[in-house]
Amino acid sequence: MSDISVVIPTFNRLWALPQAVESCRSAGGNVEIVVVDDGSTDGTWDWLQAQQDIVAIRTDNWGKDWAVETALAAARGEYVRFLDSDDWLCEDANADQLARARETGADLVVAGYEDYDEESGERRVNAWNDCDDFIAQQLGEGWASHYSAFLFRRELIRGIPHRQDFALRDDRLFILEVAMRQPRLAVYRQPAFVHRRHGGERLQYTAGFKRDLGYWTHIAIYRKVLGLLEQRGELTPRRKQAAIRTLWPNVRSFAKAYPREAAEVVDWIYRLDPQFVPPVRPALALAYRLLGFAMTERLLRLRSLPQ
């Protein structure tokens, strides 16, 4: 058994994949690299076949979530981490996070990460922020980092899939489900991976219908998770407020195309927290109260259209 399995789904990213793979090799520890090529047409599979230290799997372009699930089924590490094929791990992250897990008995070693803007060359470190309620943090209380910076005990995530129904935000639902298992945490104080910002396609950067579907998917995830927390008697006021903080900008953005459906979500937010005050200018808050959320958003949309 390996100490760590690094799961890398990829599709037509031969321009970046070798750097991602090399970072796993150089990051220390007894590492198993599992790469799933989800039907690439750019020579990715040929490149993978030439690598001697990679568990390479080919799938038929069913999407990232299926690729990740395929990789997890093949992974044999005691711990698992997830890495996009256009990002890379920081040096020593694997070895140091594994050491933290061993010395603390942690199920999950959290960390911050580094942003890299490919166009400008700018780099920015996003340090881990401590929080005494991991669920509230992942719901939106403060900054929650990125799950590629985390090292998971494989037993902790057993049975938590990357759900295809929520494919545009499947990693968000995944980490919320992990948080609800109340894992024992340890913190690694250095950045664990580098998140590359580039002009190529990414699942989280969408437009048109896909963008609106992304907003709705985010809303649907929070309604599901908050419902589960309520069933368990764990939906505290603090967690409600954290969720609403994240939900509100998604609802406002979704309302530009679907004001009636967004208004139904706003009604649900008020049921969650009857004291909720929308974080908008006073005139807009008054319009919400007098005209209703859906009508107000329709009027705002009309004002923004070309005359």
Side-chain angles (χ1 to χ4, degrees):
M1 176 185 289
S2 300
D3 292 325
I4 299 172
S5 293
V6 183
V7 167
I8 306 176
T10 191
F11 174 69
N12 283 348
R13 281 189 176 157
L14 187 56
W15 61 270
L17 178 62
Q19 183 177 12
V21 168
E22 186 59 33
S23 74
C24 300
R25 292 171 174 150
S26 63
N30 179 15
V31 178
E32 173 190 56
I33 307 168
V34 185
V35 180
V36 175
D37 174 17
D38 191 34
S40 296
T41 58
D42 64 348
T44 291
W45 184 244
D46 291 336
W47 183 83
L48 287 171
Q49 292 295 98
Q51 310 304 306
Q52 300 301 312
D53 59 345
I54 293 177
V55 178
I57 304 170
R58 177 86 165 172
T59 54
D60 293 327
N61 198 220
W62 288 107
K64 177 186 174 183
D65 53 328
W66 281 112
V68 171
E69 288 302 297
T70 300
L72 280 174
R76 295 294 178 263
E78 181 183 0
Y79 292 85
V80 175
R81 74 179 323 134
F82 303 93
L83 184 65
D84 286 346
S85 55
D86 52 352
D87 299 329
W88 65 90
L89 297 179
C90 293
E91 188 175 1
D92 299 327
N94 273 341
D96 289 351
Q97 285 184 279
L98 179 64
R100 287 289 294 145
R102 295 269 196 256
E103 68 191 26
T104 62
D107 302 305
L108 175 59
V109 182
V110 296
Y113 65 93
E114 184 175 347
D115 266 314
Y116 169 68
D117 189 302
E118 191 167 68
E119 182 176 347
S120 67
E122 180 184 356
R123 302 177 80 107
R124 184 182 74 251
V125 172
N126 304 288
W128 173 257
N129 287 337
D130 291 326
C131 180
D132 62 357
D133 186 335
F134 188 59
I135 294 176
Q137 183 182 33
Q138 295 304 313
L139 284 170
E141 184 182 285
W143 184 73
S145 191
H146 188 297
Y147 91 145
S148 288
F150 299 168
L151 186 69
F152 303 85
R153 190 187 300 275
R154 187 152 61 100
E155 283 301 313
L156 170 68
I157 63 175
R158 188 180 298 279
I160 303 179
H162 284 63
R163 300 184 187 276
Q164 189 179 34
D165 290 351
F166 302 92
L168 287 174
R169 297 289 185 271
D170 60 346
D171 53 350
R172 180 94 305 262
L173 180 55
F174 178 85
I175 192 61
L176 284 167
E177 290 191 69
V178 168
M180 286 192 293
R181 289 191 172 180
Q182 300 180 336
R184 181 182 299 180
L185 300 181
V187 179
Y188 176 56
R189 296 293 177 183
Q190 302 298 318
F193 87 108
V194 179
H195 177 61
R196 187 202 309 255
R197 299 186 182 275
H198 58 81
E201 184 178 357
R202 296 190 78 117
L203 282 177
Q204 64 267 48
Y205 303 142
T206 53
F209 173 74
K210 278 191 174 182
R211 175 194 58 211
D212 295 330
L213 180 58
Y215 294 138
W216 181 249
T217 300
H218 211 138
I219 292 165
I221 284 171
Y222 273 64
R223 296 191 75 163
K224 180 68 173 178
V225 168
L226 267 60
L228 291 171
L229 288 171
E230 187 171 34
Q231 290 175 17
R232 290 162 45 167
E234 297 174 2
L235 185 55
T236 63
R238 178 178 177 182
R239 291 170 179 174
K240 289 180 185 179
Q241 290 164 11
I244 291 170
R245 185 179 296 114
T246 299
L247 281 167
W248 180 254
N250 277 271
V251 172
R252 286 293 313 278
S253 297
F254 185 66
K256 292 177 182 178
Y258 301 96
R260 182 177 62 82
E261 290 83 353
E264 294 174 0
V265 180
V266 172
D267 289 342
W268 173 66
I269 287 175
Y270 277 110
R271 290 196 297 273
L272 279 176
D273 181 6
Q275 306 305 314
F276 172 66
V277 177
V280 296
R281 61 187 187 277
L284 184 54
L286 180 62
Y288 282 153
R289 190 161 64 250
L290 296 178
L291 302 176
F293 180 84
M295 178 59 71
T296 301
E297 289 294 333
R298 286 192 186 99
L299 292 172
L300 289 172
R301 176 65 175 162
L302 287 173
R303 286 185 60 188
S304 70
L305 293 174
Q307 300 299 314

